[in-house]
């Protein structure tokens, strides 16, 4: 969960509490260094451990680490998007009421405009505008473990069996189903 500019701090803290309450580990776990080199190294280390990077983009550009020429918000987003770890997905979020016309800082205007116009690689990154509650739901969905694959027939055709029984008949029907060898689907 990337650090934010001051206008997104409250939302970030709320989101962090929500994720931690659900049992997720939120990185980085320590404060980020104030110098650009340490800042970048700490962010890269956190990204290497993460499966999803989340960036809250507000109206403020944010503070610039010592020796850097971009804000910490921009640096974190760029580092996440440039990450070689193809398993890492990035979600960049902005509230729907934040429009380009409402941005007073030129650098923030350029950054948000770049995000809006970016053609992100497949499923690796996306820029979304929605309510914070919708963002929370989206994060839970993205962080949910993928479902276990369905069993397949030896011939690689997926077989789904449904058992519908009356009261008291489920156990014998399930026993019969477990004891039935795989059969190729019948053609009609």
């Amino acid at each position: 969960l990337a650090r934010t500019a001051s206008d997104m701090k409250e939302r970030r803290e709320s989101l962090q509490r929500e994720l931690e309450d659900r049992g997720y580990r939120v990185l980085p776990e320590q404060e980020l260094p104030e110098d650009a080199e340490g800042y970048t190294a700490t962010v890269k280390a956190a990204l290497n451990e993460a499966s999803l990077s989340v960036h809250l983009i507000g109206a403020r550009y944010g503070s610039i680490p010592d020796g850097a020429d971009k804000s910490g918000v921009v640096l974190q987003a760029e580092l996440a998007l440039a990450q070689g770890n193809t398993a890492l997905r990035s979600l960049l979020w902005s509230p729907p009421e934040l429009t380009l016309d409402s941005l007073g800082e030129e650098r923030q205007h350029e950054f948000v405009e770049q995000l809006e116009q970016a053609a992100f690689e497949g499923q690796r990154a996306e820029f979304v505008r929605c309510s914070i509650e919708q963002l929370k739901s989206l994060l839970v969905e993205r962080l949910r473990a993928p479902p276990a694959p369905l069993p397949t027939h030896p011939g690689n055709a997926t077989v789904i069996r449904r058992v519908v029984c009356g009261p008291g008949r489920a156990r014998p029907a399930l026993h019969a189903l477990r004891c039935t060898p795989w059969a190729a689907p019948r053609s009609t």
Side-chain angles (χ1 to χ4, degrees), residues 7 57-60 94-106 108-109 112 116 129:
D7 62 327
I57 313 298
R60 307 274 323 260
S94 191
E97 65 273 8
L98 187 83
T99 63
L100 285 175
D101 294 335
S102 70
L103 297 173
E105 293 181 69
E106 182 60 31
Q108 187 66 355
H109 184 278
V112 173
E116 285 182 345
R129 289 184 187 269

Side-chain angles (χ1 to χ4, degrees), residues 54-181:
V54 181
H55 307 263
L56 308 183
I57 313 298
R60 307 274 323 260
Y61 187 69
S63 61
I64 299 172
D66 294 340
D69 59 352
K70 299 176 183 178
S71 75
V73 173
V74 174
L75 285 173
Q76 291 173 96
E78 288 179 350
L79 289 168
L81 295 173
Q83 186 74 1
N85 174 1
T86 57
L88 177 71
R89 295 169 294 156
S90 296
L91 183 61
L92 299 108
W93 173 85
S94 191
E97 65 273 8
L98 187 83
T99 63
L100 285 175
D101 294 335
S102 70
L103 297 173
E105 293 181 69
E106 182 60 31
R107 294 177 298 182
Q108 187 66 355
H109 184 278
E110 289 172 8
F111 175 54
V112 173
E113 188 173 40
Q114 284 177 328
L115 292 176
E116 285 182 345
Q117 295 174 356
F120 294 116
E121 301 176 28
Q123 300 296 319
R124 278 204 8 90
E126 60 186 308
F127 178 59
V128 297
R129 289 184 187 269
C130 59
S131 72
I132 192 74
E133 292 307 315
Q134 289 170 316
L135 173 65
K136 289 176 183 179
S137 297
L138 185 61
L139 289 178
V140 169
E141 177 185 314
R142 295 289 191 280
L143 290 168
R144 192 175 295 136
L150 292 172
T152 58
H153 176 271
N156 290 332
T158 301
V159 176
I160 299 174
R161 296 183 180 175
R162 182 187 306 217
V163 177
V164 180
C165 310
R169 298 193 184 253
R171 279 194 202 278
L174 289 175
H175 175 72
L177 179 61
R178 268 188 241 123
C179 297
T180 305

Side-chain angles (χ1 to χ4, degrees), residues 22 27 29 107:
R22 290 177 177 267
L27 301 171
E29 295 172 319
R107 294 177 298 182

Side-chain angles (χ1 to χ4, degrees), residues 5 9-10 13 17 19 38 49 60 84 101 119 125 127 172 179 182:
K9 187 176 182 186
E10 214 173 276
E13 290 170 351
R17 279 191 304 275
L19 291 170
E49 288 187 61
R60 307 274 323 260
D101 294 335
F127 178 59
C179 297
W182 288 106

